[in-house]
Amino acid sequence: MRLSYDLTLEQSQKLIMTPELRQAIELLQFNSLELKEYITNEMEQNPMLESLSSSEEFENLDKYANDNDVDWKEYLEKYDDISYRPQVDKNIKEYNYESFVSYEPTLKEHLMSQLSLIPLDNKEHKIGENIIQNIDENGYLNISTEEIASFMKCEKDEVEIVLDIIQTFEPAGVGARDLKECLLIQVRNKKDATNYIIIIIEDYLEDLGYNRIQKIAKELNLDLQQVQDACDYIKRLEPKPGRSFRGNNEEVRYIIPDAEIQLIDGEFVVVINDVTGPRLNINNYYKGLMKSGGDKNTIDFLNEKFNSAMWIIRSIEQRRNTIKRVIESILKFQKDFFIEGEKALKPLTLKDIADDIEMHESTISRATNGKYVQTPRGLFELKYFFSSGILGEEGDISSTSIKVTLKDIVDGEDTKKPYSDQKISDLLKEQGINISRRTVAKYRDELGIPSSSMRRRY
């Protein structure tokens, strides 16, 4: 066998992930916030890119700057008397900033304001401030009185006295160290709280959580109705007294939909939201500078930025078109949902959409990940419309539709004799939905519905 070096030609096909292709894939996968951040960074680095909205905002600036049609003589003659005050038309509504914005104190600020009204000496006041600073956003004291006493270099009894005072503050239950103490503080001064309510909180709180009404009634020698009323009373108490106040670092985050499905003249129309991905343009100044010629390094730099900008613009436009095609395909498959509601939701997979619009499943997955659509029935993530299903008597039924039906059955049951999982399975079979008892238990847990023993009322 002869060993030697030879030159041979060979043809082969390979998929190469170019930087441009990788960029297009990332843009498709970005949600609205990530895309906005990406565009902002690119516009800072690339002078060729500009947003269309910013250029339109100042296109008529010269019109307002050159407006000299005001008759200043006539204008000033009306105000030659400094005592003159023009009449105010009370029919015109005036708006100010204070009408829309208000300040809400935090829980700690609310407690501090109450502490300042209590006649305490300087040491007790500092202990109270330390206690309040260690109360979490739910209203619980998350540190022991021994630790506070050690930090303040005082006796534990002194801390306990100030803590008892703070536990009388609003909201009721604040300053408690656990759930039991929180509930006891709330019923402490209530006239309608009976003795056995306090006993149930102190000794049978866990049994109450598991709805062991018969055990509590037997051990306390009470009627089932009395125990049931007491448990209902306890469940109406606030387990987290501080949650009615805003947090110090709390931020309200809004979801901006990537698209909207509108009902226009009886037809559903998909509209892509420009806010989530603003349209970009090439800056005219740098475009003209590139055409005018000049320094070679400058032209090479501008050409590089121009090519990069054009690719980003094309990638964002392709992203918009892909998302629109995916939503239109979802609308075609799930049209009954937008008309009738959740019960009409059909089983749908990524492959169904991929086959419909002739794209790969991975592309559909990226296009639906983290994207939201505003519909006449509310705001939904695109992933919501994809669900597994089972074969029913009238065709495939989605798991979401089954959960809605299951919830309706539980809502309509007799609370004194709630349905077991097997009974719910039998009722679903009567409606043409053939699922086992285990599947019912699984869907029930996903919906947060407790078992029949926990749902029973006496």
Side-chain angles (χ1 to χ4, degrees):
M1 181 176 180
R2 186 173 65 89
L3 297 176
S4 63
Y5 293 100
D6 293 325
L7 292 175
T8 59
L9 295 175
E10 183 179 308
Q11 286 185 341
S12 63
Q13 289 183 338
K14 294 182 180 179
L15 179 62
I16 300 176
M17 290 285 289
T18 62
E20 291 81 5
L21 179 59
R22 186 176 288 108
Q23 182 187 57
I25 292 174
E26 288 179 352
L27 281 175
L28 180 61
Q29 193 168 356
F30 284 161
N31 58 34
S32 58
L33 293 177
E34 292 170 340
L35 180 63
K36 185 177 180 181
E37 183 179 357
Y38 174 82
I39 291 175
T40 302
N41 292 335
E42 287 296 325
M43 290 177 65
E44 290 176 354
Q45 299 174 10
N46 193 338
M48 280 286 185
L49 282 173
E50 66 176 6
S51 176
L52 286 179
S53 58
S54 61
S55 61
E56 293 171 355
E57 190 175 354
F58 303 102
E59 62 181 358
N60 295 324
L61 192 62
D62 294 338
K63 173 185 175 182
Y64 301 104
N66 298 325
D67 190 0
N68 296 320
D69 296 333
V70 180
D71 189 347
W72 292 104
K73 183 178 179 181
E74 180 182 356
Y75 181 80
L76 292 172
E77 284 178 353
K78 295 181 179 180
Y79 302 99
D80 55 353
D81 184 2
I82 60 172
S83 64
Y84 172 77
R85 294 291 183 273
Q87 292 184 351
V88 178
D89 188 354
K90 296 183 179 181
N91 294 322
I92 299 177
K93 293 184 178 180
E94 294 185 359
Y95 301 97
N96 53 39
Y97 182 76
E98 288 76 11
S99 300
F100 301 97
V101 178
S102 61
Y103 176 75
E104 295 181 4
T106 63
L107 174 63
K108 292 179 180 179
E109 290 172 343
H110 182 63
L111 295 176
M112 284 293 190
S113 64
Q114 296 179 73
L115 181 66
S116 63
L117 301 175
I118 304 297
L120 300 173
D121 58 34
N122 187 49
K123 184 179 181 181
E124 290 174 333
H125 189 81
K126 288 189 177 298
I127 293 173
E129 287 182 347
N130 192 285
I131 291 173
I132 291 174
Q133 290 301 328
N134 286 286
I135 291 177
D136 62 20
E137 59 185 10
N138 291 322
Y140 287 87
L141 181 65
N142 53 20
I143 189 173
S144 65
T145 53
E146 289 85 355
E147 292 177 275
I148 297 176
S150 175
F151 180 79
M152 297 298 299
K153 297 179 181 179
C154 63
E155 297 296 328
K156 178 185 173 183
D157 293 340
E158 295 179 276
V159 178
E160 293 283 356
I161 292 172
V162 179
L163 179 60
D164 289 340
I165 295 174
I166 292 176
Q167 288 179 349
T168 62
F169 290 175
E170 290 293 332
V174 73
R177 284 156 285 193
D178 53 35
L179 177 61
K180 182 183 295 185
E181 186 178 16
C182 177
L183 299 178
L184 288 173
I185 292 171
Q186 294 181 57
V187 301
R188 181 186 296 164
N189 298 319
K190 291 194 175 184
K191 296 180 180 180
D192 55 346
T194 57
N195 290 332
Y196 55 83
I197 288 178
I198 298 175
I199 295 174
I200 291 174
I201 294 175
E202 290 179 338
D203 302 329
Y204 298 97
L205 202 57
E206 183 177 351
D207 293 324
L208 172 60
Y210 287 101
N211 202 36
R212 297 168 184 160
I213 305 296
Q214 291 180 323
K215 176 187 174 183
I216 299 173
K218 182 178 179 181
E219 295 187 6
L220 294 181
N221 195 24
L222 295 171
D223 294 335
L224 285 174
Q225 185 63 44
Q226 287 180 299
V227 178
Q228 181 68 72
D229 293 341
C231 292
D232 291 343
Y233 182 93
I234 295 171
K235 289 178 181 179
R236 289 195 298 268
L237 300 176
E238 177 56 74
K240 297 179 180 180
R243 62 180 170 183
S244 59
F245 291 82
R246 66 178 182 86
N248 292 330
N249 298 319
E250 182 180 355
E251 293 182 5
V252 179
R253 299 190 176 184
Y254 300 95
I255 294 176
I256 301 176
D258 296 84
E260 184 177 0
I261 297 178
Q262 299 177 352
L263 183 61
I264 302 175
D265 296 332
E267 294 291 332
F268 290 104
V269 179
V270 177
V271 179
I272 299 296
N273 191 355
D274 287 335
V275 176
T276 59
R279 295 185 180 274
L280 302 177
N281 192 21
I282 302 297
N283 188 286
N284 289 326
Y285 173 76
Y286 288 104
K287 190 194 300 183
L289 191 64
M290 185 175 63
K291 291 180 180 179
S292 63
D295 182 52
K296 183 178 182 300
N297 292 332
T298 303
I299 298 303
D300 292 342
F301 173 80
L302 292 176
N303 279 327
E304 180 186 350
K305 294 300 181 182
F306 175 78
N307 294 331
S308 175
M310 288 301 297
W311 181 262
I312 292 174
I313 291 172
R314 283 196 295 266
S315 298
I316 292 177
E317 192 62 30
Q318 184 180 1
R319 176 186 184 272
R320 293 167 56 88
N321 293 333
T322 302
I323 293 176
K324 184 175 183 180
R325 290 181 62 191
V326 169
I327 296 176
E328 287 175 344
S329 181
I330 292 174
L331 178 60
K332 182 172 70 175
F333 283 99
Q334 302 288 10
K335 190 172 183 179
D336 292 340
F337 164 81
F338 298 103
I339 299 174
E340 301 175 19
E342 291 180 322
K343 288 187 176 181
L345 197 66
K346 298 178 181 177
L348 187 63
T349 63
L350 296 174
K351 189 176 185 304
D352 296 332
I353 302 296
D355 294 340
D356 182 52
I357 61 178
E358 298 180 351
M359 289 185 178
H360 196 270
E361 289 182 44
S362 61
T363 304
I364 307 302
S365 177
R366 292 187 180 96
T368 56
N369 184 35
K371 313 298 189 304
Y372 290 82
V373 60
Q374 181 71 47
T375 73
R377 292 197 170 271
L379 183 68
F380 297 94
E381 188 179 6
L382 292 183
K383 291 286 187 183
Y384 172 82
F385 299 103
F386 297 91
S387 63
S388 59
I390 64 168
L391 183 62
E393 294 181 357
E394 299 181 358
D396 291 343
I397 305 173
S398 73
S399 58
T400 305
S401 176
I402 296 172
K403 290 177 184 178
V404 174
T405 307
L406 189 153
K407 189 175 185 305
D408 290 342
I409 291 175
V410 173
D411 290 341
E413 71 183 358
D414 183 2
T415 54
K416 294 181 180 180
K417 295 181 180 179
Y419 296 133
S420 64
D421 292 341
Q422 184 59 52
K423 179 62 176 177
I424 294 175
S425 176
D426 295 338
L427 293 173
L428 289 172
K429 287 177 183 178
E430 293 177 3
Q431 300 185 29
I433 303 173
N434 189 9
I435 60 174
S436 64
R437 181 193 61 80
R438 289 184 178 181
T439 307
V440 170
K442 173 188 172 183
Y443 288 165
R444 180 175 52 73
D445 289 339
E446 291 176 358
L447 291 170
I449 299 175
S451 62
S452 58
S453 61
M454 302 265 303
R455 301 197 306 272
R456 185 177 180 185
R457 291 181 56 81
Y458 295 88

